[in-house]
Amino acid sequence: MRKVLLSLAFLGTMAMLQLNAGEQFAMSDADRAMYTEMLENNPAEIYVEEGGEILEEALGGEEALAKFLEVSEKDLPKYIAGFPRYIKKLGNVVGIDQVLQVMQVEQGKKKTKLKSGKMFSMLAYVKSLANDELINIDVEADEHIKASYALGKTTYLTARGGRGLSCNSCHSADIVGQVLRTQPLPDLGEVAVAGTWPAYRMTKSSLRTPQRRFQGCMKNALLKVIPIGSKEMIALEVYIATLAKEKGKKIAIPGLKR
Ligand code: HEC
């Protein structure tokens, strides 16, 4: 703990204080008012809607997606709540965005880039189909997801970069709630990362995906940025999804974040 705090101190002026439980992040009164308003009317809803339209027009909507995934339309929401998954015909543990890309290729269409706004919208829409479902990732389902979980855990725990920090340096149970440069360190299970991203990020005024958010922390903490869609990145998503599953969290897309 002490060592962690010392290395964090290099990151700049840091005020340590304990916050009231339930307080997710520090904001000015004006920002808090805006947050409350946006909770009622999340600006990302429009992207989710747009994502649904693109999916429908470009790929044949939920029906085509369910068929591709070999599940019934009725079971699709529950199935989506378990991603990332090992998909046999893709031969890999993948995210929903990669499934959509393979569908595009199968239908002879141009692949939408994983990093594009269009893909973020489609991903948000598909994940929103699972709203109110419990996060149900099963890391024991097969050897591939088991391996991905193990890689994700290692990636999460391994200190990297100039400051020797890992994700866990800032997000471990014994440090969460403390404040780094005015921002409380969140427990990634408690804030249900796997259930709330894609989210509207107020500070970026845009829809962001979980992997994009992970990259934000990597940049800030000077960890080498892992590419979106890479094996390590998916593994990290797998590991972080288990943190929310353990806390019995549900899917609620789009999230709203600072
Ligand atoms: C130097 C400390 C630090 C490190 C290292 C760090 N984070 Fe963070 N992280 C933060 C802080 C502070 C916030 C809250 C910032 C905010 O609210 O804007 C945060 C927020 C997040 C969130 C958003 C949580 C939410 O509200 O949904 C995710 C996801 C996240 N981090 C993932 C990671 C991952 C993955 C790593 C490792 C690659 C990592 N972080 C490494 C400090 C860190």
Side-chain angles (χ1 to χ4, degrees):
M1 175 81 176
R2 197 177 152 73
K3 201 166 149 230
V4 169
L5 291 183
L6 283 174
S7 46
L8 283 178
F10 284 109
L11 290 172
T13 27
M14 188 177 77
M16 302 293 295
L17 56 104
Q18 295 297 327
L19 283 156
N20 300 330
E23 188 149 15
Q24 272 195 28
F25 34 69
M27 284 191 278
S28 68
D29 287 349
D31 282 351
R32 193 169 296 282
M34 188 159 82
Y35 177 74
T36 310
E37 195 187 312
M38 283 185 175
L39 271 182
E40 302 268 299
N41 200 353
N42 188 327
E45 294 288 359
I46 196 163
Y47 298 111
V48 174
E49 206 172 300
E50 178 197 67
E53 281 161 17
I54 304 172
L55 185 79
E56 186 66 45
E57 281 160 25
L59 286 167
E62 281 104 283
E63 197 186 330
L65 178 63
K67 198 166 162 216
F68 182 86
L69 291 170
E70 296 167 344
V71 294
S72 69
E73 265 190 81
K74 189 177 144 277
D75 293 337
L76 188 60
K78 245 195 196 76
Y79 192 77
I80 288 168
F83 268 88
R85 288 176 175 277
Y86 174 71
I87 304 288
K88 209 168 162 198
K89 48 178 163 179
L90 274 65
N92 261 320
V93 175
V94 291
I96 293 162
D97 48 357
Q98 289 162 313
V99 168
L100 295 172
Q101 277 192 329
V102 175
M103 278 179 78
Q104 289 176 321
V105 173
E106 238 184 32
Q107 296 189 14
K109 310 232 159 79
K110 201 167 160 260
K111 258 201 313 197
T112 306
K113 288 206 173 88
L114 293 179
K115 270 169 90 170
S116 65
K118 210 171 140 185
M119 183 56 93
F120 287 9
S121 295
M122 278 201 284
L123 174 58
Y125 174 75
V126 172
K127 204 157 162 190
S128 78
L129 296 173
N131 278 352
D132 294 329
E133 294 288 343
L134 287 167
I135 294 161
N136 64 27
I137 186 164
D138 178 5
V139 295
E140 298 291 328
D142 53 71
E143 56 183 324
H144 309 277
I145 191 83
K146 255 187 212 170
S148 180
Y149 173 82
L151 175 65
K153 190 169 180 185
T154 307
T155 309
Y156 192 83
L157 295 175
T158 305
R160 302 184 291 130
R163 303 215 152 95
L165 294 172
S166 70
C167 307
N168 198 49
S169 306
C170 290
H171 294 295
S172 77
D174 60 353
I175 197 168
V176 294
Q178 298 189 24
V179 172
L180 171 65
R181 284 188 290 184
T182 80
Q183 293 315 312
L185 295 167
D187 175 326
L188 301 185
E190 200 49 52
V191 298
V193 168
T196 53
W197 296 83
Y200 187 77
R201 247 202 117 180
M202 291 164 67
T203 47
K204 307 282 180 196
S205 302
S206 65
L207 179 78
R208 295 289 165 117
T209 60
Q211 295 189 11
R212 190 77 180 77
R213 181 67 189 87
F214 300 171
Q215 286 189 327
C217 264
M218 290 170 196
K219 272 192 204 127
N220 284 345
L222 303 185
L223 310 178
K224 192 160 174 278
V225 174
I226 301 174
I228 287 177
S230 65
K231 202 173 169 184
E232 285 77 17
M233 195 54 125
I234 305 233
L236 209 44
E237 202 178 335
V238 167
Y239 177 70
I240 290 173
T242 64
L243 302 177
K245 184 192 174 186
E246 280 160 17
K247 303 219 172 209
K249 300 289 181 182
K250 290 185 175 173
I251 309 265
I253 303 296
L256 179 66
K257 306 282 176 167
R258 195 189 73 88

